[in-house]
Amino acid sequence: MVTGISAFKNASFIMFQKIANVLSIVSFLMVTSVIGGGYMGYKYVTSEQFKTKMMNQVMGNVQGLMPKVLDKGLPKMTGESMPIPKNFGI
C-alpha cells in the first residue's frame, strides 16, 4: 500500500494522463474537422454549380448596368487617339 507523497504523485500522474488523453482526442477531432471542412469548401468552390451561380450573379449585375450605358448612345465620330508631335522622328 502506498501512502503519503508517493500516493499523491501517483494520483497526480494518473489525473494528468486522463487530461492529456482527453485533450489529445479533442485536438484530433478539431484537426480532422478543419481538414474536412477545407476539402469540402475547395470542392464546392471548384464545382460547376459554384461557377454557374457566380456567373449568374455577375451577368445579372452587368445586365442591370447595360441599358444605362446604351441610353447615352454611341458617338458619331471620335477624335485622334493620341496627339502626334509635329517634329516626330526628326
Side-chain angles (χ1 to χ4, degrees):
M1 179 174 216
V2 180
T3 60
I5 295 176
S6 180
F8 181 71
K9 284 183 183 179
N10 287 341
S12 295
F13 184 69
I14 291 171
M15 184 59 71
F16 175 75
Q17 280 184 324
K18 288 181 182 180
I19 292 171
N21 288 339
V22 168
L23 290 176
S24 175
I25 292 169
V26 169
S27 174
F28 174 75
L29 292 174
M30 287 176 55
V31 167
T32 54
S33 66
V34 167
I35 290 172
Y39 176 75
M40 295 304 287
Y42 173 76
K43 291 302 278 182
Y44 177 69
V45 168
T46 58
S47 70
E48 282 296 320
Q49 178 185 4
F50 182 76
K51 181 180 175 184
T52 303
K53 183 179 178 181
M54 288 296 112
M55 287 301 290
N56 287 340
Q57 285 183 351
V58 168
M59 292 305 289
N61 291 338
V62 169
Q63 286 175 352
L65 297 174
M66 286 304 290
K68 295 176 186 174
V69 172
L70 294 177
D71 288 342
K72 293 179 183 176
L74 297 174
K76 303 271 187 241
M77 179 159 66
T78 61
E80 293 180 14
S81 61
M82 195 170 123
I84 300 174
K86 294 192 187 244
N87 55 2
F88 182 74
I90 296 177

